[in-house]
């Protein structure tokens, strides 16, 4: 009798398994470090994009010989550089450019990597083989050196050229990850059932497999965003990043290539460096929390 | 075992071919050619003589022929002539190679000194305060951009505290071959090597931690414990023997990083190695040197992954199947 009663348990006690989005959200709230990182990131984004209306790039980049190398004061919150330009204004503009461009590279690399990874993993066979040989090859190439070479030899170098050069190298890692996941996914019953029912391949990929990959893609994109901002600012530091006229946080840090500035004028490079560090750490903490959420064994709650 | 090794070596041949074609066409896209290094800033040459010389050197030949000649020269170790310094590229690279090699080796040694104990401790005392601290450290070292860390390190330990030199690989006037010379070089090497190692420890620590956590619950470890093997020996004899070999195999993959990753370190610490040579050459538009360095790095990377793949397949037979 008891068993029967259980079999006919009222329907409302059956829990719907939570969607991948609500799992990601719940993990973020549980993890205090990730939550405070998220709050910081939101305030940071509002500040840098909102201030665009108040900060005028011409005024920030204006050379003011009366106030060269001025230490931080109420006029110039973070002092001025060798040409008397306000560092604080440059940091705000640089942060905006670095974040925007890192974000665009991440989106583009994800879009291309996702498409190619889905195709390689789903169809397999010779297509997969050719694509994977190519990906393995690109992954071995000396990435930084080639980016620097392309940045130097591209005619009419501008922001888009930089974005595409970076994307050309960065989609491969993503495609490899997605392909591995699709390989596992396509053996599952629901894909086999759809195939048997005659669902067209693109529908299985777009509406069957893709939603199941969404959480992995989100996690990977978050971590890549942090990495891409790091690479962009690093290249800009070396002088092979964003073109002249588009200040990056890395461009400000490159003041420190002069040992005299590195040693004696900390405000010209340290605040921008710390901002890069904090920004990347915050995005990473969010990414790590999301990563834990995708692995049921590691969740906090 | 030999089948996998042979197949893996065969895969490298098309990779080498594609790499050389890529570098060749990138080099073609750069301004200047083999003649530029010889004639630049020489006003005594008439345009007609230059044209004749071009024809004689085969610079007007079809791309295919030029490619074949370029590859042939590569095999003979002829990398062309530097446009700026007017010397053989091989000589320029040779003068810097040792420095980059020492830096790479120092980074690797420091990486292992830091990461192997941390990884083992972290896994052995899982979820303890120590483990959490070490995991926190790996989060930091994973996220911190190398150039920022290197700048802060050189600022604090080089300029503020004055413990280490801030540029160069050795002080002028120290007699080569003496003990002082060795110590002086080591002194110059420590700070850049530490900066590089800080960032590269993450992977090894996380790998070892997971390995130790997985292995210490396995049956053969339980058997060893129930036989009465002391805990320290369980770790040194039974668990680590399994986990350390793959780490040795990762050495090959690190070869790639030795050159490329050192762009930042060598530029920030003013260390005269290949990374610095690359940056100087590209700034001075000395493209024959740039081409040679890209080709060599690509080659090293291919050989490095080849070595790692082969060693890993010997250590772990499961890899051979795929």
């Amino acid at each position: 009798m008891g068993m029967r009663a259980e079999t006919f348990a009222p329907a409302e006690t059956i829990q719907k398994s939570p969607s991948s989005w609500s799992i990601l959200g719940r993990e973020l709230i549980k993890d205090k470090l990730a939550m405070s990182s998220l709050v910081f990131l939101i305030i940071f984004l509002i500040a840098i994009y909102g201030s665009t209306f108040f900060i005028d790039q011409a005024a920030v980049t204006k050379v003011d010989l009366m106030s060269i190398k001025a230490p931080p004061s109420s006029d110039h919150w973070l002092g001025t550089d060798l040409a008397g330009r306000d560092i604080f204004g440059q940091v705000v503009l640089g942060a905006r450019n670095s974040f925007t461009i890192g974000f665009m590279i991440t989106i583009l690399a994800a879009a291309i990597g996702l498409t190619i990874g889905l195709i390689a993993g789903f169809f397999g066979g010779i297509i997969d083989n050719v694509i994977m040989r190519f990906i393995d090859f690109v992954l071995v190439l000396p990435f930084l050196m080639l980016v620097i070479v392309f940045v130097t030899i591209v005619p009419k170098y501008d922001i888009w050229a930089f974005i595409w050069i970076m994307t050309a190298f960065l989609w491969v890692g993503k495609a490899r990850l997605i392909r591995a996941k699709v390989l596992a996914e396509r053996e599952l019953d629901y894909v086999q059932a759809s195939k048997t029912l005659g669902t067209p391949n693109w529908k299985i990929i777009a509406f069957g497999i893709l939603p199941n990959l969404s959480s992995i893609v989100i996690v990977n994109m978050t971590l890549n965003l942090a990495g891409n901002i790091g690479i962009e600012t690093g290249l800009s530091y070396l002088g092979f990043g964003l073109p002249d006229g588009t200040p990056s946080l890395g461009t400000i840090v490159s003041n420190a290539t002069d040992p005299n500035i590195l040693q004696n004028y900390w405000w010209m490079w340290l605040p921008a460096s710390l901002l890069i560090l904090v920004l990347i750490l915050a995005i990473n903490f969010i990414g790590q929390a999301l990563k834990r959420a995708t692995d049921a064994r590691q969740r906090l709650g | 075992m030999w089948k996998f090794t042979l197949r893996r070596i065969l895969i490298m041949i098309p990779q080498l071919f594609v790499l050389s074609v890529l570098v060749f066409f990138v080099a073609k896209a750069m301004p200047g050619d083999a003649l530029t290094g010889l004639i630049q800033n020489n006003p005594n040459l008439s345009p007609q003589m230059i044209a004749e010389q071009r024809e004689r050197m085969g610079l007007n030949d079809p791309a295919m022929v030029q490619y074949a000649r370029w590859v042939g020269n590569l095999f003979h170790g002829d990398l062309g002539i530097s446009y700026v310094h007017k010397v053989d590229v091989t000589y320029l690279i040779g003068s810097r190679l040792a420095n980059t090699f020492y830096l790479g080796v120092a980074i690797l040694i420091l990486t292992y000194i830091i990461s192997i104990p941390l990884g083992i401790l972290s896994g052995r005392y899982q979820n303890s305060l120590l483990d959490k601290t070490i995991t926190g450290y790996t989060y930091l070292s994973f996220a911190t951009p190398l150039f920022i860390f290197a700048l802060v390190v050189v600022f604090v330990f080089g300029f503020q505290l004055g413990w280490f030199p801030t540029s160069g690989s050795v002080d002028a006037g120290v007699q080569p071959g003496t003990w002082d010379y060795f110590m002086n070089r080591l002194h110059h090497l420590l700070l850049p090597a530490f900066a590089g190692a800080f960032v590269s420890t993450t992977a090894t620590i996380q790998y070892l931690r997971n390995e130790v956590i997985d292995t210490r619950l396995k049956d053969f470890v339980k058997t060893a414990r129930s036989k009465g093997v002391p805990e320290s020996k369980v770790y040194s004899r039974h668990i680590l023997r399994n986990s350390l070999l793959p780490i040795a195999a990762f050495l090959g993959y690190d070869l790639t990083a030795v050159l490329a990753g050192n762009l930042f370190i060598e530029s920030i610490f003013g260390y005269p190695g290949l990374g610095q040579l690359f940056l100087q050459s590209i700034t001075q538009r000395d493209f024959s040197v740039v081409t040679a360095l890209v080709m060599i790095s690509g080659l090293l990377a291919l050989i490095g992954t080849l070595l790692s793949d082969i060693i890993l397949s010997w250590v772990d037979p499961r890899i051979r199947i795929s």
Side-chain angles (χ1 to χ4, degrees):
Chain A
M1 280 301 281
M3 264 182 67
R4 259 200 114 75
E6 261 178 40
T7 325
F8 290 103
E12 55 264 29
T13 59
I14 297 170
Q15 273 197 342
K16 194 171 170 283
S17 65
S19 75
S20 56
W21 292 100
S22 70
I23 293 175
L24 292 184
R26 211 163 53 191
E27 184 71 22
L28 264 186
I29 294 169
K30 283 270 163 128
D31 187 331
K32 289 196 186 67
L33 193 56
M35 196 60 210
S36 30
S37 299
L38 187 65
V39 172
F40 162 78
L41 194 64
I42 291 170
I43 295 172
F44 168 81
L45 290 180
I46 293 174
I48 57 167
Y49 286 104
S51 63
T52 316
F53 302 108
F54 307 109
I55 290 184
D56 163 24
Q57 182 162 353
V60 168
T61 50
K62 196 186 69 184
V63 175
D64 179 6
L65 294 177
M66 297 305 288
S67 53
I68 304 175
K69 301 183 194 171
S73 65
S74 56
D75 267 355
H76 301 285
W77 290 356
L78 289 175
T80 58
D81 66 5
L82 290 180
R85 290 170 299 202
D86 181 41
I87 300 274
F88 180 77
Q90 290 186 50
V91 167
V92 174
L93 284 176
R96 197 191 66 198
N97 291 337
S98 288
F99 188 87
T100 313
I101 283 158
F103 190 75
M104 290 207 285
I105 293 169
T106 311
I107 296 277
L108 278 174
I112 298 172
L114 199 57
T115 314
I116 299 204
L118 280 168
I119 292 173
F122 187 80
F123 293 106
I126 184 110
I127 306 176
D128 181 38
N129 235 320
V130 171
I131 293 178
M132 282 316 288
R133 284 281 160 276
F134 179 73
I135 287 178
D136 283 342
F137 173 71
V138 177
L139 281 175
V140 178
L141 290 176
F143 160 71
L144 273 180
M145 283 178 133
L146 279 174
V147 169
I148 290 175
V149 168
F150 281 118
V151 163
T152 320
I153 62 175
V154 160
K156 280 208 300 178
Y157 179 68
D158 59 9
I159 298 177
W160 281 105
F162 179 75
I163 292 175
W164 282 115
I165 291 171
M166 291 277 283
T167 308
F169 287 96
L170 291 171
W171 66 267
V172 285
K174 184 95 67 186
R176 195 186 158 97
L177 173 88
I178 297 296
R179 175 221 174 231
K181 297 287 172 194
V182 176
L183 276 183
E185 202 75 16
R186 78 169 179 180
E187 298 305 323
L188 296 181
D189 287 339
Y190 77 96
V191 175
Q192 298 302 328
S194 299
K195 272 191 182 162
T196 320
L197 286 171
T199 318
N201 284 334
W202 68 268
K203 264 193 180 166
I204 304 179
I205 295 177
F207 301 113
I209 295 177
L210 194 56
N212 285 328
L213 298 179
S214 59
S215 54
I216 290 161
V217 173
I218 296 288
V219 168
N220 192 252
M221 279 176 70
T222 316
L223 293 174
N224 280 351
L225 173 62
N228 292 345
I229 293 177
I231 300 172
E232 181 272 311
T233 49
L235 283 167
S236 294
Y237 166 81
L238 291 177
F240 302 98
L242 303 192
D244 297 338
T246 321
S248 145
L249 282 175
T251 322
I252 306 168
V253 180
S254 72
N255 281 330
T257 38
D258 178 352
N260 181 30
I261 290 182
L262 178 66
Q263 192 175 3
N264 300 320
Y265 304 99
W266 58 268
W267 60 87
M268 290 190 205
W269 64 276
L270 194 59
S273 306
L274 292 181
L275 184 61
I276 296 174
L277 185 61
V278 172
L279 182 61
I280 290 179
L281 275 179
I283 299 174
N284 247 304
F285 285 139
I286 298 171
Q288 299 285 0
L290 295 178
K291 191 176 178 184
R292 274 197 306 274
T294 57
D295 182 355
R297 285 169 305 173
Q298 295 186 6
R299 269 176 222 156
L300 295 177
Chain B
M1 183 152 80
W2 293 109
K3 218 173 124 192
F4 175 88
T5 310
L6 192 69
R7 207 174 53 193
R8 184 60 191 75
I9 293 174
L10 285 180
I11 289 176
M12 211 178 117
I13 293 171
Q15 286 184 331
L16 272 177
F17 174 70
V18 179
L19 173 74
S20 61
V21 170
L22 178 81
V23 174
F24 177 75
F25 279 102
V26 167
K28 284 260 113 186
M30 293 173 189
D33 52 36
L35 198 53
T36 318
L38 297 171
I39 58 163
Q40 223 170 34
N41 309 328
N42 189 343
N44 299 329
L45 289 170
S46 69
Q48 197 200 345
M49 283 164 75
I50 294 174
E52 274 172 20
Q53 185 65 22
R54 283 184 69 85
E55 187 63 40
R56 202 176 321 137
M57 289 178 74
L59 293 171
N60 297 328
D61 291 350
M64 286 289 290
V65 180
Q66 290 194 42
Y67 169 75
R69 192 181 303 126
W70 180 71
V71 171
N73 287 342
L74 273 186
F75 276 113
H76 291 113
D78 177 5
L79 296 169
I81 292 167
S82 156
Y83 303 167
V84 175
H85 304 285
K86 316 283 177 209
V87 292
D88 277 351
V89 174
T90 33
Y91 170 78
L92 266 184
I93 291 179
S95 65
R96 306 283 194 108
L97 191 63
N99 280 339
T100 291
F101 176 75
Y102 295 143
L103 181 60
V105 170
I107 290 178
L108 281 179
I109 293 176
L110 269 181
T111 305
Y112 290 143
I113 290 181
I114 299 173
S115 57
I116 290 177
L118 288 187
I120 294 169
L121 286 173
S122 189
R124 183 167 174 177
Y125 304 105
Q126 192 193 357
N127 291 333
S128 66
L129 184 67
L130 182 68
D131 175 32
K132 287 192 177 124
T133 316
I134 295 172
T135 310
Y137 162 75
T138 58
Y139 278 2
L140 268 180
S141 64
F142 172 73
T144 309
L146 179 55
F147 76 106
I148 303 251
F149 185 72
L151 273 177
V152 172
V153 160
V154 84
F155 176 64
V156 174
F157 296 102
F159 285 114
Q160 298 299 316
L161 298 172
W163 291 353
F164 293 95
T166 53
S167 77
S169 67
V170 68
D171 285 329
V174 188
Q175 196 63 37
T178 59
W179 176 248
D180 282 347
Y181 182 80
F182 174 76
M183 288 311 285
N184 194 287
R185 288 203 74 126
L186 196 64
H187 197 209
H188 279 82
L189 206 54
L190 270 179
L191 204 55
F194 170 69
F198 173 81
V199 177
S200 64
T201 47
T202 319
T204 316
I205 295 181
Q206 285 173 345
Y207 170 81
L208 257 183
R209 177 177 185 269
N210 292 337
E211 275 289 310
V212 170
I213 290 173
D214 281 349
T215 319
R216 66 180 186 162
L217 297 174
K218 290 206 170 127
D219 285 341
F220 74 90
V221 179
K222 283 184 192 154
T223 312
R225 281 218 183 90
S226 48
K227 276 196 311 193
V229 177
E231 194 63 17
S232 60
K233 261 199 176 150
V234 169
Y235 277 90
S236 61
R237 286 276 171 79
H238 294 80
I239 296 182
L240 289 185
R241 183 167 288 181
N242 276 305
S243 310
L244 286 182
L245 272 174
I247 289 189
F250 291 146
L251 261 171
Y253 297 128
D254 290 332
L255 260 182
T256 322
V258 162
L259 261 180
N262 290 351
L263 286 184
F264 289 113
I265 297 186
E266 290 185 5
S267 114
I268 287 169
F269 290 91
Y271 187 85
L274 291 181
Q276 201 194 39
L277 178 67
F278 175 79
L279 290 173
Q280 284 170 350
S281 304
I282 205 149
T283 313
Q284 298 170 340
R285 318 217 128 233
D286 196 351
F287 288 116
S288 51
V289 183
V290 171
T291 312
L293 283 172
V294 173
M295 187 65 209
I296 291 175
S297 318
L299 207 63
L300 270 183
L302 283 180
I303 295 172
T305 38
L306 174 80
L307 285 180
S308 278
D309 284 353
I310 290 177
I311 299 174
L312 272 175
S313 80
W314 286 351
V315 175
D316 186 348
R318 283 170 299 179
I319 293 171
R320 267 179 259 154
I321 299 164
S322 59

